Amino acid sequence: MNSSSSRMSEASKAAGSMRARDMDRVRARTLLDAAYEEGQLGADEYHDRSDRAEAAATIGVLRGLVGDLQTPDGSAGWSEPPRPNPANRIGRYPDRIRARDEDRALTCRALDTALADGQLSAEEHRTRTELTAAATTLGDLAGLTEDLQKPAAAPIDPRSRTRPGTLWLAGAVVVVTVAAAVAGFRLTHRPAPPAPVAAPVGQVVHPLVFETPDLTTAAGFEKFRGDYQAKFGDTTVDRLLLYPENASVDRTSVAQPNRVAGFDYWGGFMTSSKPTSRTADDPIFDLATVNSSALGEWIGRAVPMLKVDGGTVSHISMEYDSITEVPTIDIFVRNEFNESGFLQITPAGDPIRTVPFGD
């Protein structure tokens, strides 16, 4: 097998090992229902495949259950979620680097999201969360989310921005040469000293302080929405995750509707992943439709409703559910013991479902 075929095989294997969400299982079972109605499957095989789809843990299993079917009339067919970028991509710290509490917190948030959308069972979530608390390196953490559809991103290595080797050396020589030339010019062309200017009396200069509110509040969401529109010129996203201090957003380019790229937000936006493929006509979530007042009310009610003792809102997700064809907002609550629950609403503030801790 040549290197190209080997890479394709590895990519297919990685995509197949991704954890399946509830919506992926629903999509597969919907296709099986339609295929049975058309006579593609007999009754026994239909029931067997349907039961296996309901219990499927990975995308690969679901693919095997529907991969030999014709696309039923009136159905969009089987489409897999995009494979996430490798955890150890260019610009990220290597696995051996020690993990911070912040890195463990990001991993826990990824696990919470996976629990909420059905990628992990409660027991798997509990086990992985405990392993996260004990993890010492970034490699340990990466292994806990690498099979998820939204793995936790490794922190950026600032050292990767320095180019080693001859290019760096050549650049250094040029810089030193230019600096020496400038210094020589200044020595031989000294300008006349400027006339002294009296300093203003009694004038105090105060530093400007810009406060970014907690992004898991209504005020924080409005701040993000305003910054997002100012940056990109619109308010559409494929998916948004809001944490207290930062946010992660998947955005489709207006010029290329079949491409989606990731961005991190820390008061400003920076690219977190290269563009990947998407279905061009998939619906997207419009932040302009979110009723921030209603969102704030649900955030305030989330902790008592979800029965998480001592819990706080850990993160909020916003995306378009392609199965139910409804844009949804999920509010997650979590405490120091990794107990969690979530509630789901529409952008207008209408309730969809509530999953308290212990249910």
Side-chain angles (χ1 to χ4, degrees):
M1 181 181 293
N2 60 37
S3 60
S4 177
S5 298
S6 177
R7 285 194 297 271
M8 291 178 64
S9 176
E10 289 298 319
S12 177
K13 181 180 178 181
S17 64
M18 277 198 310
R19 287 298 184 118
R21 302 166 296 176
D22 287 336
M23 67 174 61
D24 300 319
R25 287 183 277 270
V26 170
R27 178 181 289 119
R29 295 186 69 191
T30 300
L31 290 175
L32 291 170
D33 292 344
Y36 174 62
E37 291 294 330
E38 290 185 343
Q40 296 189 55
L41 299 173
D44 291 342
E45 187 174 16
Y46 160 69
H47 288 298
D48 176 65
R49 291 197 188 194
S50 185
D51 290 343
R52 289 162 59 192
E54 184 177 10
T58 67
I59 292 296
V61 171
L62 294 178
R63 179 199 303 151
L65 294 172
V66 300
D68 62 343
L69 302 178
Q70 296 184 40
T71 300
D73 292 339
S75 172
W78 172 252
S79 61
E80 297 183 8
R83 184 172 61 89
N85 291 326
N88 297 318
R89 58 185 180 271
I90 296 174
R92 303 288 172 167
Y93 279 112
D95 285 352
R96 61 180 175 79
I97 297 299
R98 288 284 181 141
R100 304 165 299 175
D101 288 339
E102 179 183 341
D103 305 318
R104 297 183 188 90
L106 289 174
T107 299
C108 284
R109 289 167 184 166
L111 294 174
D112 288 348
T113 300
L115 171 65
D117 63 20
Q119 294 184 65
L120 297 177
S121 67
E123 181 61 31
E124 289 172 324
H125 174 264
R126 186 179 303 109
T127 300
R128 294 196 189 198
T129 301
E130 291 172 354
L131 292 173
T132 296
T136 59
T137 68
L138 294 177
D140 294 336
L141 293 178
L144 295 171
T145 65
E146 63 184 357
D147 61 341
L148 303 182
Q149 295 189 28
K150 289 289 182 180
I156 295 174
D157 184 353
R159 299 170 300 179
S160 65
R161 299 173 184 173
T162 302
R163 296 176 179 267
T166 56
L167 289 178
W168 179 89
L169 180 60
V173 171
V174 171
V175 170
V176 171
T177 303
V178 171
V182 171
F185 177 84
R186 288 177 174 173
L187 287 174
T188 55
H189 297 77
R190 292 180 179 273
V197 178
V201 178
Q203 182 177 0
V204 179
V205 179
H206 297 283
L208 295 176
V209 178
F210 298 92
E211 294 185 0
T212 299
D214 183 337
L215 295 178
T216 58
T217 64
F221 167 72
E222 290 183 344
K223 172 68 164 60
F224 174 88
R225 181 166 58 182
D227 289 351
Y228 186 88
Q229 185 169 21
K231 169 68 175 179
F232 297 107
D234 58 45
T235 54
T236 59
V237 301
D238 276 55
R239 191 188 194 202
L240 170 63
L241 290 174
L242 293 168
Y243 302 105
E245 297 181 352
N246 66 296
S248 174
V249 60
D250 291 338
R251 170 178 169 78
T252 295
S253 167
V254 175
Q256 293 182 297
N258 62 332
R259 296 287 182 268
V260 58
F263 297 86
D264 289 333
Y265 173 82
W266 294 85
F269 293 89
M270 61 184 297
T271 303
S272 62
S273 66
K274 295 179 180 179
T276 56
S277 179
R278 74 183 294 275
T279 303
D281 57 356
D282 278 352
I284 53 181
F285 190 102
D286 190 350
L287 301 178
T289 64
V290 177
N291 183 331
S292 57
S293 296
L295 175 63
E297 292 178 4
W298 281 107
I299 291 172
R301 297 165 59 185
V303 173
M305 286 183 63
L306 297 177
K307 302 176 184 179
V308 181
D309 186 29
T312 59
V313 175
S314 61
H315 62 291
I316 299 172
S317 71
M318 301 183 183
E319 63 183 326
Y320 196 99
D321 189 327
S322 60
I323 299 298
T324 60
E325 297 185 350
V326 174
T328 60
I329 300 175
D330 293 343
I331 302 173
F332 297 84
V333 171
R334 185 168 175 271
N335 64 14
E336 61 178 323
F337 303 105
N338 299 319
E339 298 168 343
S340 62
F342 78 99
L343 62 85
Q344 188 175 73
I345 61 174
T346 67
D350 299 321
I352 298 176
R353 62 172 172 158
T354 302
V355 183
F357 171 69
D359 286 13

